[in-house]
Amino acid sequence: MLSPSTEKIDRREKALNYRQIATLEEYVLIAQNRPRVEIQRRADEWRPTFVTSLDATAEFNSIGLSLPLTQIYEGVLNMQT
């Protein structure tokens, strides 16, 4: 989950470091204040894919998991779309 205080570090420093791990296939950033899941995949040269609708499903190919955003954000109050 991204927080305002760590978002820049997560997007830059951590992303660069994690991408150096040879076995890492996906890097995922999840916004905490709105429905937005960003998935960066090695297979796509780390270009991001965004899932932003609560009606949509996020696909985590590296672990064979599909999660609806409604499930990811279940219990989050005052969700903005």
Side-chain angles (χ1 to χ4, degrees), residues 1 30-31 37 56-58 60 67-76:
M1 283 281 189
I30 301 174
V37 175
T57 299
F60 305 102
L67 278 178
L69 263 63
T70 53
Q71 189 172 357
I72 293 171
Y73 286 97
E74 186 176 339
V76 176

Side-chain angles (χ1 to χ4, degrees), residues 10-21 27:
D10 292 337
R11 289 190 175 283
R12 294 182 184 157
E13 294 174 36
K14 285 185 181 180
L16 289 172
N17 288 326
Y18 282 125
R19 289 177 191 160
Q20 299 304 312
I21 300 170
Y27 184 68

Side-chain angles (χ1 to χ4, degrees), residues 35-64:
R36 181 182 166 106
V37 175
E38 179 178 337
I39 305 169
Q40 301 173 19
R41 294 184 176 94
R42 181 180 302 277
D44 296 333
E45 298 180 5
W46 301 113
R47 285 186 303 270
T49 299
F50 298 95
V51 185
T52 58
S53 170
L54 286 174
D55 296 329
T57 299
E59 303 286 337
F60 305 102
N61 299 340
S62 63
I63 57 173

